[in-house]
Amino acid sequence: MATPFDGSSREAGAPLALEEPEVEAPAAGASEPPRVTLDDVLAEPAAPGAAPLPARPAQPLGVAVRTARVASIAGRRATILVRGAAGPVAAEIAPEVDPGVIADAHARGDAVLVELCEGEPPLVVAALTTQRPKALHLKAATITLEGEQELLLRSGRGAVRIREDGDIEVVGSRISAASRGLFRIVGRLLRLN
């Protein structure tokens, strides 16, 4: 039966010993990089008359995602305000993004996510909602609200409750129902008052 190798060089039953790696002496002509100590890092800054630090070369932008505000929108193009930019920047809206979503973000004052890629115009890829809305507007071809046990719509002293067993309860101070056509109430038992 083979014994698994655990990476140690000691024989079974031998006592453990700490081995320190041997440090090779630097070659005679080799120059070592200067060592920076904590004292060097925490030293007082140079006097105002000292030479300034060398400027770092600009790093390539690559791909980045930043937030921005929409200044205006027209079709699939938007003018955005990016922090650090000299002024408004022309951007395009990504093909998978509905321009209506970006227009709604502009109307609410919400931020948008912008993909920045060197050599290409900024691309608006999403809208960000950072606050609870004071009003909620849903617009779609079909809206489905589904509750596993119960669905409750409530405003002030009025409510509509739909339960999983089929019970529907409508409560309010005054309830009105009107129909431009046939108004039919069907039930095995109808009770008025």
Side-chain angles (χ1 to χ4, degrees), residues 161-183:
R161 177 177 300 189
I162 304 171
R163 293 195 176 107
E164 67 178 327
D165 62 2
D167 284 352
I168 300 174
E169 183 181 356
V170 180
V171 178
S173 303
R174 196 179 109 217
I175 299 173
S176 301
S179 172
R180 292 198 168 99
L182 176 67
F183 189 146

Side-chain angles (χ1 to χ4, degrees), residues 138-186:
L138 294 176
K139 184 177 182 179
T142 303
I143 297 175
T144 302
L145 300 175
E146 191 171 324
E148 293 276 330
Q149 296 177 355
E150 178 175 290
L151 178 64
L152 175 65
L153 301 173
R154 180 183 5 214
S155 178
R157 294 173 46 192
V160 176
R161 177 177 300 189
I162 304 171
R163 293 195 176 107
E164 67 178 327
D165 62 2
D167 284 352
I168 300 174
E169 183 181 356
V170 180
V171 178
S173 303
R174 196 179 109 217
I175 299 173
S176 301
S179 172
R180 292 198 168 99
L182 176 67
F183 189 146
R184 184 160 81 174
I185 301 175
V186 177

Side-chain angles (χ1 to χ4, degrees), residues 69-113:
R69 299 278 178 196
V70 179
S72 66
I73 183 170
R76 298 204 66 81
R77 297 194 178 276
T79 303
I80 58 173
L81 303 171
V82 181
R83 187 173 22 175
V89 178
E92 295 178 6
I93 298 174
E96 64 274 8
V97 177
D98 183 355
V101 172
I102 305 305
D104 290 347
H106 173 53
R108 289 189 308 265
D110 286 341
V112 293
L113 272 182

